[in-house]
Amino acid sequence: MKLNDTKKRLLYAAAFALLFGVETVIALFVHDRFVRPYLGDVLAVVTVYCGARTVFLNKPRFLSAWVTALAFVVELLQLTDLSERVGSVFAVILGSTFDFADLLCYAVGGVITAAWDYRIYRKTYAKTRPNS
């Protein structure tokens, strides 16, 4: 079944909404030693990726790398006092405590989304490559 771009965007938007809901539930109600600190960070990258794919459906090819880099930048900004100087909404987004484990979780999320990117690229490439 071939999906047109509108249907693909809707699927990514639905995945984003679902994952955002899961992330919200984790942030508000889960206070454990695995799901919130680790799985939540992995899912954060996947969530942002789905949101970005809604907008950038077909390009750039390495969107997963850009999303993962963004997550790394946000985490590294926690080494500064920026979250103290910005408004409360941005402080929540930026966070306030740097943790190296977060970078590892973001990398895992990046690998998951990169595998998805590779799957998409491989299918697209196979369709456009002339038979030899």
Side-chain angles (χ1 to χ4, degrees):
M1 177 174 92
K2 182 162 172 23
L3 297 174
N4 65 29
D5 286 353
T6 302
K7 288 182 182 177
K8 288 178 188 176
R9 285 182 200 280
L10 287 173
L11 286 173
Y12 278 115
F16 170 78
L18 176 69
L19 289 169
F20 187 79
V22 169
E23 286 280 50
T24 301
V25 168
I26 289 171
L28 295 175
F29 302 111
V30 179
H31 306 288
D32 68 346
R33 293 184 180 183
F34 177 75
V35 173
R36 184 172 181 154
Y38 301 111
L39 184 59
D41 286 344
V42 171
L43 287 178
V45 171
V46 179
T47 303
V48 172
Y49 171 83
C50 287
R53 271 286 173 219
T54 302
V55 177
F56 305 108
L57 184 61
N58 297 314
K59 294 181 182 177
R61 186 171 125 209
F62 296 105
L63 185 61
S64 59
W66 288 106
V67 168
T68 305
L70 174 65
F72 271 62
V73 167
V74 168
E75 187 68 24
L76 292 172
L77 284 173
Q78 293 174 6
L79 290 169
T80 70
D81 66 341
L82 184 62
S83 65
E84 295 172 12
R85 294 187 281 145
V86 296
S88 61
V89 173
F90 291 111
V92 170
I93 293 169
L94 286 176
S96 59
T97 308
F98 173 82
D99 187 353
F100 184 75
D102 290 351
L103 294 177
L104 295 176
C105 292
Y106 298 150
V108 170
V111 168
I112 291 168
T113 57
W116 185 257
D117 267 351
Y118 176 75
R119 179 183 169 274
I120 291 169
Y121 174 72
R122 190 183 63 192
K123 279 186 172 184
T124 303
Y125 181 71
K127 289 178 186 176
T128 60
R129 185 177 63 187
N131 292 334
S132 318

